[in-house]
Amino acid sequence: AQTVTQSQPEMSVQEAETVTLSCTYDTSESDYYLFWYKQPPSRQMILVIRQEAYKQQNATENRFSVNFQKAAKSFSLKISDSQLGDAAMYFCAYRSTGGSQGNLIFGKGTKLSVKP
Amino acid sequence: DAGVIQSPRHEVTEMGQEVTLRCKPISGHDYLFWYRQTMMRGLELLIYFNNNVPIDDSGMPEDRFSAKMPNASFSTLKIQPSEPRDSAVYFCASSSRGVRYGYTFGSGTRLTVV
């Protein structure tokens, strides 16, 4: 079974600085999708960025980018020019393309604080 | 697109009462998921449907929980009887067929059982 691990329960960053959130996963599959979700205090789950495992190029969405290391099974999220509105829980998630393709498996989350 | 719509947003009930949570997925999405979020266990998949058919309900905690999807635009999650340990945020999410996409989540229902 696949697992997703986020080893940093909490992180803090100064406004306008850069922060990297870590995520590792375990799978025997070669094709899958990885995601980062943001959950602000409003509790709405918001998709931040998506990465296809068959693509070597790292995904980028404005100030958000990932460092995808397939061999190491690592999928970190970098937030550049951090803003107060980035303060939230961030969840890393894995989705199979195989038999359990419906299921999105989440890590425990990292709580990000942004200091003004 | 109104997104995934869940109701109610908050529910407070007494132990032993029946609770029904409702979800309207995004039109055209053929997957629907129910998740539960607690501080201790994080986000747990309870059950998911594909084309209105339950595919995997292995996450449903016990027989007190049941879920239905009578048509493509509506699903319910029922707890009967409810217990204090059922207190959590319950999310509904939907997704299109392509697995390359993540889910679109509803705003969640915060359930408190006293």
Side-chain angles (χ1 to χ4, degrees), chain B residues 4 6 13 25 28-30 32 40 46 48 51 58-59 72-73 76 82 87 89 94 98-99 105 114:
Chain B
V4 177
Q6 288 187 248
T13 190
H29 281 188
D30 56 352
L32 184 138
M40 291 296 295
L46 299 178
Y48 78 91
N51 292 322
S58 60
S73 60
T76 59
S82 57
S87 298
V89 178
S94 70
V99 298
F105 281 82
V114 298

Side-chain angles (χ1 to χ4, degrees), chain B residues 98-114:
Chain B
V99 298
R100 66 176 65 88
Y101 303 109
Y103 304 168
T104 300
F105 281 82
S107 299
T109 295
R110 179 175 294 280
L111 173 65
T112 303
V113 183
V114 298

Side-chain angles (χ1 to χ4, degrees), chain A residues 17-35:
Chain A
E17 297 295 309
T18 296
V19 64
T20 299
L21 308 183
S22 301
C23 173
T24 59
Y25 57 94
D26 188 24
T27 184
S28 59
E29 299 176 331
S30 59
D31 195 17
Y32 46 86
Y33 293 86
L34 297 165
F35 307 86

Side-chain angles (χ1 to χ4, degrees), chain A:
Chain A
Q2 296 87 9
T3 59
V4 176
T5 302
Q6 293 179 249
S7 59
Q8 306 152 315
E10 295 188 24
M11 292 281 286
S12 180
V13 64
Q14 203 71 33
E15 193 175 8
E17 297 295 309
T18 296
V19 64
T20 299
L21 308 183
S22 301
C23 173
T24 59
Y25 57 94
D26 188 24
T27 184
S28 59
E29 299 176 331
S30 59
D31 195 17
Y32 46 86
Y33 293 86
L34 297 165
F35 307 86
W36 279 97
Y37 277 86
K38 171 185 177 181
Q39 187 179 39
S42 67
R43 82 170 181 244
Q44 180 72 47
M45 294 286 286
I46 302 165
L47 179 63
V48 174
I49 199 165
R50 172 180 67 229
Q51 174 78 43
E52 291 104 330
Y54 63 85
K55 287 189 177 180
Q56 292 186 332
Q57 185 174 7
N58 289 324
T60 300
E61 289 287 343
N62 300 314
R63 298 182 296 106
F64 297 88
S65 62
V66 298
N67 183 5
F68 174 49
Q69 302 290 326
K70 190 172 184 179
K73 297 179 183 176
S74 172
F75 182 61
S76 60
L77 174 70
K78 186 172 80 171
I79 306 174
S80 303
D81 186 25
S82 297
Q83 300 175 359
L84 296 177
D86 296 333
M89 284 289 291
Y90 285 83
F91 293 94
C92 178
Y94 172 103
R95 189 173 191 183
S96 173
T97 61
S100 299
Q101 61 179 256
N103 189 7
L104 198 58
I105 300 168
F106 287 90
K108 296 293 187 186
T110 296
K111 183 178 181 180
L112 178 66
S113 302
V114 181
K115 298 178 180 179

